[in-house]
Amino acid sequence: MKKVLIADDNKSFLMYMAILLKRMGFDVLLADNGVETVKLIKLMQPDLVLLDHMMPRLDGISVLRLIRCDANSPISIVMMSTNPKTVRESEKFDGCGFLTKPVQIEELHEILQNCIFK
């Protein structure tokens, strides 16, 4: 079973995405801040990280930068934000894709196909 880590400081959004991904057959991990996200990535080695741009303690771009500095990290990371300008920042660090919030199920499905099942 593929593992997906969802990192977002909005608890309602975390639960919504967890339900969607579990129904799609994924094992789901949750983090509500950037520091916890980095720890879970290193410990659990998820297949995909859905990473919110604005989080406490460490923002999403900083998390992406830290993970990409680790040469042993082939993990697919998708940035999420209400601001589409964030996509430019995530592309600098080899983000796998970008989801605009509120997340549309069709876009989520396409990202999963492109980033996990390619």
Side-chain angles (χ1 to χ4, degrees), residues 38 70 86 102 106:
V38 172
D70 181 356
T86 304
E106 297 83 20

Side-chain angles (χ1 to χ4, degrees), residues 8-69:
D8 197 294
D9 59 335
N10 182 314
K11 302 262 189 234
S12 298
F13 182 77
L14 277 177
M15 291 301 117
Y16 169 73
M17 292 296 288
I19 290 168
L20 278 177
L21 290 167
K22 285 179 182 178
R23 287 184 178 169
M24 292 178 183
F26 293 97
D27 187 17
V28 177
L29 307 165
L30 303 175
D32 64 2
N33 66 66
V35 173
E36 184 180 355
T37 302
V38 172
K39 288 178 185 175
L40 281 172
I41 289 171
K42 291 181 183 212
L43 286 172
M44 303 301 291
Q45 294 289 304
D47 298 290
L48 175 70
V49 179
L50 298 175
L51 183 61
D52 186 33
H53 180 250
M54 298 298 292
M55 287 190 298
R57 299 185 66 192
L58 196 62
D59 67 87
I61 294 296
S62 297
V63 170
L64 180 57
R65 186 180 308 122
L66 283 170
I67 297 307
R68 289 301 179 234
C69 288

Side-chain angles (χ1 to χ4, degrees), residues 73-93:
S73 182
I75 297 169
S76 295
I77 300 177
V78 175
M79 291 298 299
M80 300 182 296
S81 179
T82 55
N83 184 353
K85 293 179 183 177
T86 304
V87 72
R88 281 186 238 122
E89 290 181 73
S90 65
E91 286 174 344
K92 293 177 192 174
F93 299 101

Side-chain angles (χ1 to χ4, degrees), residues 13 81-82 100-104 107:
F13 182 77
S81 179
T82 55
T100 303
K101 291 165 92 177
V103 173
Q104 301 298 312
E107 290 177 17

